[in-house]
């Protein structure tokens, strides 16, 4: 992948993703899904097959309801209704929703090297937290993470597509030639940022959500791939 040479890196605008870039997130959804599969105890379908059905439900519902743990609970319930092989009662629904609700109670697990790296970058650049999801849930995670003070602005949007990137550039009056997006998701962080004329820093995560995975656009001179968040200190 091509990478731009940053001869004069000071004073850039760095848009930074939150979930699975600054702190662990999807691992808790994966655990909830494992609990759901065990509770469903389907006679024929293995977890990957159940996951495919749940993905179909989430693709449709995300367009209307967005993302987040509570919306994930709605998706699990619809999946349960479709696949359950026994008579359903109210306690079943409470159990299914609890799998999702517990995601909100997990401790914040900030990825190693993130606080120190943000501290370094904040002295040199303008940091903007740019994340998608349920506004209340995302703000709660930002507050609990202890990282909010590093950012000059926080933007929580329903979807991170090319239009959303153009929108934040316009709203904050950013120079797109000096603005970069940093994140783990090709679908939400990297490809739409490049399409909007920004630079992008791809930091892969082993547990990126399945629906956020796609091929990273190749050939851009404004694409950098790093192994870990802390590696930003050597590039910016």
């Amino acid at each position: 992948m091509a990478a731009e040479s940053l001869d004069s890196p000071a004073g850039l605008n760095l848009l930074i993703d939150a979930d699975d870039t600054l702190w662990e997130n999807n691992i808790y959804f994966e655990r909830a899904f494992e609990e759901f599969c065990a509770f469903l105890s389907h006679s024929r379908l293995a977890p990957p097959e159940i996951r495919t059905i749940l993905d179909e439900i989430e693709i449709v519902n995300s367009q209307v309801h967005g993302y987040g743990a509570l919306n994930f609970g709605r998706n699990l319930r619809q999946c349960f209704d479709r696949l359950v092989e026994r008579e359903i009662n109210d306690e079943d629904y409470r159990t299914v929703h609890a799998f999702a609700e517990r995601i909100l109670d997990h401790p914040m697990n900030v990825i190693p090297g993130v606080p120190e790296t943000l501290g370094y970058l904040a002295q040199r650049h303008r940091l903007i937290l740019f994340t998608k999801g349920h506004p209340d849930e995302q703000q709660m995670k930002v507050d609990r993470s202890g990282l909010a003070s590093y950012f000059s602005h926080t933007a929580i949007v329903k979807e991170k597509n090319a239009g959303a990137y153009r929108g934040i550039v316009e709203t904050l009056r950013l120079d797109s030639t000096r603005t970069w997006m940093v994140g783990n998701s090709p679908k939400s962080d990297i490809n739409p940022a490049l399409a909007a004329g920004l630079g992008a820093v791809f930091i892969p995560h082993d547990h990126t959500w399945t629906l956020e995975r796609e091929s990273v656009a190749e050939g851009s001179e404004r694409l950098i791939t790093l192994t870990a968040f802390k590696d930003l200190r050597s590039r910016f």
Side-chain angles (χ1 to χ4, degrees):
M1 294 183 182
E4 179 177 345
S5 176
L6 302 178
D7 296 326
S8 180
L12 300 174
N13 306 300
L14 301 183
L15 305 176
I16 300 179
D17 175 52
D19 295 334
D20 295 318
T21 296
L22 299 180
W23 53 69
E24 300 290 354
N25 180 67
N26 195 52
I27 57 172
Y28 302 105
F29 285 82
E30 291 179 355
R31 291 174 188 174
F33 175 70
E34 291 171 0
E35 293 177 316
F36 172 77
C37 289
F39 180 68
L40 178 65
S41 189
H42 201 278
S43 63
R44 295 178 294 102
L45 298 180
E49 297 169 294
I50 297 171
R51 178 77 251 187
T52 297
I53 294 170
L54 180 60
D55 284 348
E56 294 171 355
I57 293 171
E58 292 193 299
I59 289 171
V60 173
N61 285 349
S62 66
Q63 303 303 309
V64 179
H65 303 292
Y67 304 93
L70 297 183
N71 289 323
F72 182 63
R74 177 189 291 107
N75 299 335
L76 287 180
R77 174 168 174 158
Q78 290 185 17
C79 189
F80 187 73
D81 284 338
R82 184 181 300 186
L83 299 180
V84 67
E85 299 174 299
R86 60 180 185 273
E87 185 176 347
I88 303 173
N89 57 48
D90 290 341
E91 183 60 30
D92 289 329
Y93 285 137
R94 284 192 288 269
T95 298
V96 169
H97 280 285
F99 296 144
E101 290 167 354
R102 282 199 291 272
I103 294 173
L104 298 175
D105 296 328
H106 69 73
M108 293 301 299
N109 186 4
V110 175
I111 292 173
V114 163
E116 300 88 341
T117 302
L118 289 177
Y120 170 84
L121 295 173
Q123 297 179 42
R124 298 164 58 82
H125 310 290
R126 182 183 184 186
L127 306 189
I128 299 161
L129 189 62
F130 191 45
T131 181
K132 74 176 184 180
H134 189 282
D136 293 339
E137 287 186 27
Q138 289 302 96
Q139 189 60 57
M140 178 191 70
K141 287 188 282 187
V142 172
D143 294 341
R144 290 174 57 198
S145 73
L147 303 176
S149 62
Y150 295 112
F151 297 93
S152 65
H153 182 81
T154 295
I156 302 172
V157 296
K158 182 177 180 180
E159 196 67 70
K160 286 162 69 178
N161 49 32
Y165 284 95
R166 295 187 187 102
I168 194 168
V169 165
E170 181 178 357
T171 298
L172 300 182
R173 299 181 179 180
L174 307 178
D175 179 353
S176 60
T177 67
R178 298 188 61 77
T179 300
W180 293 73
M181 178 65 200
V182 179
N184 69 291
S185 168
K187 181 180 178 181
S188 293
D189 300 326
I190 307 307
N191 293 338
L194 292 172
L198 311 184
V201 182
F202 180 38
I203 305 177
H205 189 289
D206 290 340
H207 297 283
T208 294
W209 185 26
T210 303
L211 298 186
E212 292 293 328
R213 299 175 186 173
E214 63 183 28
S215 297
V216 173
E218 298 284 353
S220 173
E221 295 182 354
R222 300 201 68 199
L223 173 64
I224 296 173
T225 299
L226 300 177
T227 301
F229 193 85
K230 63 182 181 180
D231 296 335
L232 287 165
R233 283 177 283 185
S234 66
R235 301 305 299 265
F236 293 89

